[in-house]
Amino acid sequence: MNKRTIILNALEALIISQKGNTCSVSDIAKQAGIGKGSIYYYFASKEEIFDALVERIYADVIRKCKETVEKSELPATQKIALLLQTYYSSSVEIAVDRYLHEPQNAYVHQKSLAMILKSLTPIVTKIIEQGIQEKIYSCSYPREFSELILSELCFVFDPGIFTWAPEEMKQKLHGLAEFMEKGLSAPQGCFDFLLAPFTQTDG
Amino acid sequence: MNKRTIILNALEALIISQKGNTCSVSDIAKQAGIGKGSIYYYFASKEEIFDALVERIYADVIRKCKETVEKSELPATQKIALLLQTYYSSSVEIAVDRYLHEPQNAYVHQKSLAMILKSLTPIVTKIIEQGIQEKIYSCSYPREFSELILSELCFVFDPGIFTWAPEEMKQKLHGLAEFMEKGLSAPQGCFDFLLAPFTQTDG
């Protein structure tokens, strides 16, 4: 394992054991079993280490999403469902996610949201282009459409930025399903799977 | 003028004279002509003062937008154009805007984006409801539609989070115009005004 990886693992372990807020660069060095000077050779600050850790975590999530979608031979609409399912079921450690949403980590958080949007956009775009080829969608700007949808998922649906009541979330998903359908000129009701979490608890 | 206002004005003046990054609570007190202890009676930190200042600035922008739209008797589509024009022409001091986009102010920035989205949503919703009454739009979820559009404007179009080339911005506005048209079942080309800055320089 290279030193960079060892340092990231050390901070990750400290955050998981609830020491994210209090640990210093010295504590990270101690946990990593290397000298403090060594850390400064790779990173300028604790924030930089955390930034690199978050990037590594989300790069893994995105890679998993990409691979799952590329391996699948489903039609476009089901592929969108598969992508969302893969993304939302990707396990980011709760302690890391909570630490990411601390006010002092807002800059790292903001960078991660931008990175997620930028990385998911080409994946969603490709699925929409597939749907256009399958003649179930019609859309002149598949990339821009993908970005618009993802901007809501990354920003409005981020529980660290907004707090919505379950009823509000349900309305938002209803709206999103309608707009995706209209925006893509897709068959009626084809994005109703977005409401699955609610129809399950409602039933 | 009350003390709270005097304190906000003092920090605003310091930021405008390029001292935002270096000034301390003592400097703000000195600029305000009051004791440092007085400041701590109102605010816990420099960040809290800046947070309150940003809130004041954007509350003014939103109030201006709301009043302009409410006074207008234009049809819905032109009202959307008027709202965007009012919002984007609202003068937030460049130095304050730049300071807001500094990494250490990411939390205040994030809060301001959420506040703008939440405050503009009911204004846009009301215009869309007007358009539905005028029978030029059709949409089952006007509030959720407004939020989706605003999530792109607040997040993807924020120059502090993303950097887009002019050609990319043009594509995004093309996509947004198409999506608004389809999402609202509105007359073809009715949101082409979004492309105005580009058609002007193109011509």
Side-chain angles (χ1 to χ4, degrees):
Chain A
M1 222 188 296
N2 69 42
K3 268 202 183 161
R4 211 176 170 276
T5 305
I6 293 171
I7 297 166
L8 299 187
N9 291 353
L11 176 58
E12 192 172 33
L14 287 167
I15 294 172
I16 291 171
S17 55
Q18 311 296 336
K19 289 173 194 136
N21 274 315
T22 52
C23 71
S24 64
V25 172
S26 301
D27 297 325
I28 300 169
K30 205 174 157 191
Q31 172 80 25
I34 59 177
K36 192 173 161 185
S38 276
I39 291 201
Y40 286 118
Y41 179 77
Y42 294 91
F43 301 100
S45 63
K46 176 180 162 186
E47 196 193 21
E48 261 194 22
I49 307 174
F50 183 55
D51 194 13
L53 174 61
V54 170
E55 210 180 297
R56 180 177 82 175
I57 291 170
Y58 277 104
D60 278 348
V61 171
I62 303 289
R63 192 178 308 118
K64 201 175 140 198
C65 287
K66 196 164 182 273
E67 281 170 10
T68 306
V69 165
E70 278 176 357
K71 258 196 307 206
S72 148
E73 292 182 1
L74 289 170
T77 303
Q78 284 153 270
K79 242 185 209 177
I80 293 180
L82 176 69
L83 173 63
L84 289 176
Q85 196 188 9
T86 310
Y87 180 75
Y88 283 108
S89 68
S90 294
S91 54
V92 172
E93 283 280 352
I94 294 172
V96 175
D97 191 62
R98 201 173 289 150
Y99 183 62
L100 180 61
H101 287 95
E102 294 274 341
Q104 78 271 22
N105 292 321
Y107 186 63
V108 174
H109 180 216
Q110 173 189 303
K111 277 180 68 182
S112 75
L113 293 181
M115 180 252 201
I116 294 168
L117 180 122
K118 282 198 147 183
S119 313
L120 287 179
T121 297
I123 304 177
V124 178
T125 305
K126 220 170 154 184
I127 303 178
I128 292 176
E129 285 165 346
Q130 178 191 326
I132 295 169
Q133 283 205 316
E134 290 167 354
K135 297 192 192 310
I136 49 158
Y137 302 158
S138 161
C139 172
S140 316
Y141 299 94
R143 163 171 286 270
E144 287 67 30
F145 181 84
S146 308
E147 222 167 50
L148 180 58
I149 298 304
L150 289 168
S151 74
E152 173 153 57
L153 297 184
C154 291
F155 178 58
V156 178
F157 288 6
D158 187 300
I161 306 180
F162 295 95
T163 312
W164 306 110
E167 193 48 44
E168 287 175 312
M169 269 310 292
K170 190 176 164 181
Q171 280 297 102
K172 279 178 219 316
L173 291 169
H174 265 297
L176 187 61
E178 177 177 295
F179 303 130
M180 286 178 70
E181 187 183 309
K182 287 171 88 172
L184 294 173
S185 312
Q188 211 187 339
C190 85
F191 294 110
D192 285 356
F193 65 80
L194 289 172
L195 289 147
F198 292 98
T199 44
Q200 273 162 15
T201 53
D202 280 4
Chain B
M1 220 188 298
N2 68 42
K3 267 200 183 161
R4 211 176 169 277
T5 305
I6 292 171
I7 297 166
L8 299 187
N9 292 352
L11 176 57
E12 192 172 33
L14 287 167
I15 294 172
I16 291 171
S17 57
Q18 310 297 336
K19 289 173 194 135
N21 274 315
T22 51
C23 72
S24 63
V25 172
S26 302
D27 297 326
I28 300 169
K30 204 173 158 193
Q31 172 80 25
I34 59 177
K36 192 173 160 183
S38 276
I39 292 202
Y40 285 119
Y41 179 77
Y42 294 91
F43 301 100
S45 63
K46 178 180 160 186
E47 196 193 21
E48 261 194 22
I49 307 174
F50 183 56
D51 194 14
L53 174 62
V54 170
E55 211 178 298
R56 180 176 82 174
I57 291 170
Y58 278 103
D60 278 348
V61 171
I62 303 290
R63 193 177 308 116
K64 200 174 140 200
C65 287
K66 196 165 182 273
E67 281 170 10
T68 306
V69 166
E70 279 176 357
K71 258 196 309 206
S72 149
E73 293 182 0
L74 290 170
T77 303
Q78 282 153 273
K79 244 186 208 176
I80 293 180
L82 176 69
L83 172 64
L84 288 176
Q85 197 189 9
T86 310
Y87 180 75
Y88 283 107
S89 67
S90 294
S91 54
V92 173
E93 282 281 352
I94 293 172
V96 176
D97 192 61
R98 202 173 288 150
Y99 183 61
L100 180 61
H101 286 97
E102 294 275 340
Q104 77 271 24
N105 292 321
Y107 186 62
V108 174
H109 180 217
Q110 172 189 304
K111 277 179 69 182
S112 75
L113 293 181
M115 179 251 200
I116 294 167
L117 179 121
K118 282 198 148 186
S119 315
L120 287 179
T121 297
I123 304 176
V124 178
T125 304
K126 219 169 154 185
I127 303 178
I128 292 177
E129 285 166 347
Q130 177 191 327
I132 295 170
Q133 283 204 317
E134 289 166 354
K135 297 193 192 308
I136 50 157
Y137 301 159
S138 161
C139 172
S140 317
Y141 299 94
R143 163 172 287 270
E144 286 66 31
F145 181 83
S146 307
E147 221 166 52
L148 180 58
I149 299 304
L150 290 168
S151 75
E152 173 151 59
L153 297 184
C154 292
F155 178 58
V156 178
F157 288 6
D158 187 299
I161 306 181
F162 295 95
T163 313
W164 306 111
E167 194 48 45
E168 287 175 312
M169 269 310 291
K170 190 176 165 181
Q171 281 295 104
K172 279 178 219 316
L173 292 169
H174 266 296
L176 187 61
E178 176 179 288
F179 183 73
M180 286 177 71
E181 187 183 307
K182 289 171 86 174
L184 295 173
S185 312
Q188 211 187 339
C190 85
F191 295 109
D192 285 356
F193 65 82
L194 289 171
L195 290 148
F198 291 99
T199 45
Q200 272 162 15
T201 53
D202 280 6

